[in-house]
Amino acid sequence: MTGAHEEGRGGDHRPGPNGRLEPGRDAAWRSLLFFPGTRPDQYAKGLDSGADVVCLDLEDAVGQADKERARDQAVELLGGGTWLAARSAVRINRVRSDPGRRDLEALARAADRGPDIEGAGARGAGAMTVLLPKVDGPGEVEEAVALFADTDHDVRIVAMIETALGLEHAMEVASAPGVVALFIGAVDLAVELGCAFEWEPLLYARSRVVHASAVAGVQAIDVPFLDLRDREGLVAEARAVARLGFTGKAAIHPGQIEPIHEAFAPTPAELERAHGILEAHAHGTGGVTVFEGRMIDGPVLEAARRTIARASEEKR
C-alpha cells in the first residue's frame, strides 16, 4: 500500500505512565533479544549488540532440570548492580504454573530488597519488565502485577499472545494494568490453531495483536525469525510486520539486531517524501494542500511526522 499507511510504517508507539503510550516519551522497542537464563554471561553481549531490550529467558530456553538454577542466576544478575532497567527484561514461565509462580516471587523479592537498578533513577522510580508467556486472559496479568504491589519497583508487563484463548482476549489483555506491550508468540500459536507457521496463515492473528495494541496504546512485538542464515528473509519479514503496524521484532541472535533496526527505519525515499509533505503543508494557504498529486490531510501529516521521528530514533 502507499500513502498514509506506508508513511506510518512501524508506528510511533512509546510507553508512558502505567504502561500506556505517550508520544514524545521513550522510544519504541524495535528489537528484543533473548538469551538463555542459564547463560547470564551473555547479558553484557546482548547489551553490546545494540538491542533495544535484552531479555533473560527462564522459559523456552531452559530445560526443566535447570529451571531453579536459571532462576537463581536471574536473581543474582538482577542484584549485581549491572542490570539496566530501561533495556532489560525477564521472561518467566507460565504464571499459573509452579515454576512461573516461583519465578515471579523470586523477582519480586529481588526487586524489593536489592540495590537500586542502574538507570532507574531514585529508589522506587525503576520498573522491572517481565514477559508473561501463554497469557490466556487479563487475570494472569493482574496476578503478576499484584506480586509487585508491595515492592519499591513497578512491574511492566509484556503479555505474550501464543494461545487461541489469548488471541480471543487480546483486547482485554492489552488493556490490563501494567501492560506495556503485546508479543505474538506465533510458533506456539500456530500449533494451537493448527495452521502453518507462515505469513498468510498467521496474518489474521498478527493483525488482531496490532489492533488490540493500538486500541490500548501499547507496543506490538513480533515473533523472532528462526533462520539465522537468512538475512534477506529476516529483513523482508521485519519490513512486512512494520508495515502491518508492529513496533518491533524479537531476535534470538545478536546478528539479527542490525537487520531488524534497518527494517524498522524509514527508507531514504520514505524520509524524503515525509519532509516533502511537511514542507508542502507549511507553505500552503491553510486550505487543502496537494503533494505529488495527493491530498494532504491530518492523518497524512501525522504519518509524515512519525516517519521523521523514527529516523531520529535511529540516531540515538
Side-chain angles (χ1 to χ4, degrees):
M1 295 183 67
T2 57
H5 295 283
E6 184 178 90
E7 294 289 351
R9 185 163 64 91
D12 188 32
H13 297 301
R14 304 159 187 271
N18 302 316
R20 299 307 174 224
L21 304 180
E22 271 191 3
R25 280 182 62 91
D26 302 324
W29 297 339
R30 302 160 298 175
S31 58
L32 184 152
L33 174 64
F34 287 106
F35 72 100
T38 51
R39 294 293 308 276
D41 57 296
Q42 292 187 0
Y43 174 64
K45 295 178 182 178
L47 292 175
D48 289 342
S49 74
D52 291 338
V53 178
V54 178
C55 182
L56 185 149
D57 187 8
L58 302 180
E59 192 212 14
D60 285 348
V62 178
Q64 290 298 323
D66 294 321
K67 294 290 186 185
E68 186 172 352
R69 176 168 67 93
R71 183 185 306 118
D72 291 343
Q73 289 175 331
V75 170
E76 182 178 355
L77 183 61
L78 178 63
T82 60
W83 190 261
L84 291 171
R87 292 189 59 199
S88 306
V90 180
R91 173 162 69 172
I92 67 165
N93 291 277
R94 200 165 187 172
V95 172
R96 290 175 178 167
S97 70
D98 183 60
R101 189 75 181 182
R102 292 185 180 186
D103 292 341
L104 278 172
E105 290 172 348
L107 292 175
R109 287 195 301 269
D112 192 34
R113 70 170 183 262
D116 289 353
I117 300 174
E118 185 179 344
R123 181 147 177 83
M128 182 183 295
T129 300
V130 178
L131 276 67
L132 305 184
K134 299 178 176 65
V135 173
D136 285 336
E140 290 155 89
V141 175
E142 293 164 2
E143 290 174 24
V145 171
L147 282 175
F148 283 80
D150 295 327
T151 72
D152 288 322
H153 290 282
D154 296 328
V155 62
R156 294 156 65 91
I157 300 296
V158 177
M160 301 188 69
I161 304 299
E162 43 192 347
T163 68
L165 271 176
L167 188 63
E168 176 67 19
H169 298 135
M171 196 76 72
E172 296 97 315
V173 172
S175 301
V179 172
V180 299
L182 293 187
F183 181 125
I184 182 167
V187 178
D188 291 280
L189 183 58
V191 173
E192 277 228 354
L193 296 177
C195 72
F197 178 56
E198 297 170 359
W199 179 259
E200 288 187 3
L202 289 165
L203 180 57
Y204 166 76
R206 279 185 163 112
S207 299
R208 190 175 177 93
V209 167
V210 168
H211 180 199
S213 299
V215 170
V218 301
Q219 302 196 57
I221 302 171
D222 190 55
V223 66
F225 187 80
L226 302 182
D227 189 343
L228 299 180
R229 303 163 300 176
D230 187 1
R231 178 190 170 97
E232 290 185 3
L234 168 61
V235 171
E237 185 170 278
R239 284 178 175 162
V241 298
R243 288 194 300 272
L244 194 62
F246 279 89
T247 56
K249 188 169 180 64
I252 53 175
H253 189 277
Q256 294 181 318
I257 300 305
E258 189 274 333
I260 288 174
H261 289 184
E262 173 189 324
F264 275 86
T267 66
E270 289 172 340
L271 190 57
E272 182 180 359
R273 185 167 185 271
H275 281 293
I277 287 171
L278 295 184
E279 184 176 353
H281 176 72
H283 290 87
T285 60
V288 174
T289 305
V290 176
F291 178 75
E292 295 182 344
R294 298 186 180 185
M295 184 184 72
I296 300 174
D297 58 7
V300 173
L301 288 171
E302 178 59 22
R305 294 187 185 102
R306 291 184 178 188
T307 296
I308 293 170
R310 290 203 319 279
S312 299
E313 288 174 3
E314 285 296 309
K315 300 175 183 178
R316 69 185 180 214

